[in-house]
Amino acid sequence: MPAKATGAGVDSSPATIDVPRPRRSVIPGGTLYRGNEGMWSWVLHRITGVAIYFFLLVHILDTALVRVSPEAYNVVIGAYKTPIMGLGELALVGAIGFHALNGLRIILVDFWGVGTRHQKTMFYVVLGVWLVLMIGFTPRHLMHVFGG
Amino acid sequence: MTTTDVTIDSPRSPHARTRRGINLEKWGWLYMRISGVFLVALIFGHLLVNLVLGEGVSQIDFGFVAGKLADPFWQWYDFFLLWLALIHGANGMRTIINDYVAKPQVRRILHGALLASTGVLLALGTLVIFTFDPCPAGADPALIASFCGDL
Ligand code: HEM
């Protein structure tokens, strides 16, 4: 039932008008941000960014071994072909895939006129495209690592 | 009662710039976005060629890398990948240090370490890309690229 507001009229008989009932908050915790897509995409973006950064430091050093000798490079790169490292590479590709797709989402939020309005939808698009890419990459990589 | 003169800006008056000159923080923000667009393409290609096509990770050895880096196309590809990604990552880490480290002294040390390691790795990586010899003299012929014998 709509709430009734009673207006104080100039004359003694009060006028009654219908006003819509105030909408119940659909936001748990009373915030647009905390606990929602915006926050989780930021958490994941930050964690993946740091993980990729530390891998990049190591990766520049291991690649630099081509300048030392073929033997040195082959020994160290051999470590990347073990099953445990193979699974690590899968995690790393997953991390960079998310960071790249969500990075494009951030860019669209910042530069696309209606980007902010669609940020939630774009987050689920990011997850969907990420899933498709990983479904394509995972069996191929596992075959390379475990010799399929 | 004493009174003081207080000036109150009219509401919605434009923000007065207190600092002049180049806004480095703004250019850093823009760099993250511009480099990000290029990095999507560069990293996607990097992973495709090294991990997906051919025999993936099991094909990577000295000869494989030598075959790529003997080609100026891959030299410049890796050069842009190195500079764009490392500066992007380092600037992102700078933001994270600013977010979590409150003590000015600790912050200075971490920023210094970040700047130094970034400089060293950019120099090292660039040196490797452009001074690399795919057919090092005296190397085991079984380990180097097949085209070395023709030289
Ligand atoms: C694949 C393409 C990539 C895209 C599209 C991308 C995009 C972005 C964007 C838009 C930001 C946000 C900057 C801001 O909020 O001001 C960001 C942050 C960051 N990126 Fe990337 N990036 C990519 C690759 C990388 C790589 C290769 C690294 C590591 C070397 C990296 C490390 C970081 C870090 C550490 C941050 C800071 C995270 C934070 O402040 O929470 N990113 N990236």
Side-chain angles (χ1 to χ4, degrees), chain A residues 42 45-46 48-50 52-53 56 96 99-104 106-107, chain B residues 29 32-33 35-37 39-40 43 85-86 88-93 95-96 99:
Chain A
W42 171 80
H45 199 81
R46 181 156 276 195
T48 53
V50 173
I52 304 159
Y53 175 75
L56 180 58
I96 198 149
H99 191 96
L101 294 169
N102 190 59
L104 294 177
I106 296 175
I107 293 166
Chain B
W29 181 92
M32 293 308 273
R33 281 140 186 85
S35 62
V37 172
L39 282 170
V40 173
I43 292 175
L86 192 56
H88 176 107
N91 192 42
M93 292 302 285
T95 304
I96 294 176
D99 277 357

Side-chain angles (χ1 to χ4, degrees), chain A residues 46 50 53 56-57 60-61 64 66-67 70-71 73-74 77 81 89 96 106-107 110-111 137 140 144, chain B residues 29 33 43 51-52 54-58 60-62 65 82 89-90 93 96 99-100 114 121 131-132 143:
Chain A
R46 181 156 276 195
V50 173
Y53 175 75
L56 180 58
L57 300 188
I60 294 171
L61 293 172
V66 294
R67 196 70 183 77
E71 287 82 0
Y73 183 78
N74 287 352
I77 216 68
K81 303 174 186 177
E89 288 141 24
I96 198 149
I106 296 175
I107 293 166
D110 288 338
F111 292 108
F137 177 75
R140 177 114 188 128
H144 291 145
Chain B
W29 181 92
R33 281 140 186 85
I43 292 175
L51 289 185
V52 177
E55 281 102 57
V57 69
S58 56
I60 302 175
D61 58 12
F62 181 85
V65 180
L82 171 71
M93 292 302 285
I96 294 176
D99 277 357
Y100 298 122
L114 189 63
L121 285 176
T131 68
F132 173 68
L143 298 180

Side-chain angles (χ1 to χ4, degrees), chain A residues 53-140:
Chain A
Y53 175 75
F54 283 110
F55 169 71
L56 180 58
L57 300 188
V58 176
H59 190 44
I60 294 171
L61 293 172
D62 67 54
T63 304
L65 289 175
V66 294
R67 196 70 183 77
V68 176
S69 77
E71 287 82 0
Y73 183 78
N74 287 352
V75 165
V76 171
I77 216 68
Y80 281 102
K81 303 174 186 177
T82 60
I84 290 180
M85 286 297 274
L87 296 179
E89 288 141 24
L90 206 57
L92 207 61
V93 169
I96 198 149
F98 176 83
H99 191 96
L101 294 169
N102 190 59
L104 294 177
R105 171 179 161 274
I106 296 175
I107 293 166
L108 286 173
V109 167
D110 288 338
F111 292 108
W112 184 30
V114 292
T116 315
R117 203 187 306 154
H118 298 303
Q119 64 92 7
K120 269 188 197 193
T121 316
M122 289 198 291
F123 180 62
Y124 290 107
V125 171
V126 164
L127 292 185
V129 175
W130 180 84
L131 203 64
V132 169
L133 289 177
M134 290 311 284
I135 289 173
F137 177 75
T138 303
R140 177 114 188 128

Side-chain angles (χ1 to χ4, degrees), chain B residues 117-131:
Chain B
S117 57
T118 305
V120 168
L121 285 176
L122 285 176
L124 175 71
T126 307
L127 197 80
V128 167
I129 291 172
F130 291 111
T131 68

